Amino acid sequence: MILDQFDNNKAAVINPSDLVKHSDSTPSVAVTCFSKATFSRMLEEFGGERVTVRSLANLDINVYETVYKGVKIALYLSPVGAPACALLLEDIFALGVQKVVMFGTCGVLDKSIEDCSIIIPQSAVRDEGTSYHYAQVSDEIMTNEKHIEEFEEILEKLSCSYTKGKVWTTDAFYRETYDKVKARKEQGCICVDMECSAVAAVAAFREKEVFQFFYAADNLDADKWDMRSLDNRDKLDEKDKAALLAMELAAKIK
């Protein structure tokens, strides 16, 4: 298969440094999410001055800078889907960011996981294409190899319920079939998302750090799909708490 043709050479025809100007003033740590509503509320809560704009063909992404607990933190909104999310992450690293805390929704494959509770992925099944350009072929990739203990301390301090386990990352939202869900559950997956395995591969390839976590949304562990809080307008207070968790961890691992 063509995805077997991984090339470990970091020099490509087009490189992030060809399009992005590194800045020594860029914060070393960034926080990002995927929900416009949550991101807008983050800017209202934590403040933020726009410092640059990244253009992804038909999409402009504003990058902001704020200070939380005395730590400079970059803030930006990630696009949904592994290819675009990974491309923007490359630009963020090229700007000078060394560590990223990323959070967003996921679908649960275990109905006992409560709506909006926190999930920490420890590994990811690579059912997307982007990661194969950043890492040798394998079924799975490790995630969050650093900072889980620090994050658990924050979760316990703020009385947040959470689950750790394996995530299934797929490009195709409308192709999460019943047979695939069953197979991924048998493989040990407790949730499904669209970016995690690719993000982990990019971070490892560039020798940077990304800590990823989810807040549980729709339930796929049923005879009929249950949307629960997948809509970006639902349960905003609970999602604000996820944003607070991300800021707390960013300040801690700066």
Side-chain angles (χ1 to χ4, degrees), residues 11 33 35 41 53 89 111 115 143 174 178 194 222 226 248:
C33 67
S35 164
R41 288 162 71 94
V53 179
L89 183 62
K111 60 178 175 287
D115 192 15
T143 63
Y174 286 125
Y178 287 100
M194 298 183 70
D226 182 1
E248 286 283 325

Side-chain angles (χ1 to χ4, degrees), residues 66-110:
T66 191
V67 176
Y68 181 73
K69 292 190 171 180
V71 178
K72 285 173 56 177
I73 298 174
L75 302 173
Y76 70 96
L77 180 68
S78 283
V80 172
C85 179
L87 191 156
L88 181 57
L89 183 62
E90 286 266 37
D91 286 359
I92 294 298
F93 287 149
L95 283 170
V97 171
Q98 302 296 311
K99 301 178 182 181
V100 175
V101 179
M102 179 179 289
F103 69 99
T105 62
C106 69
V108 299
L109 306 184
D110 178 352

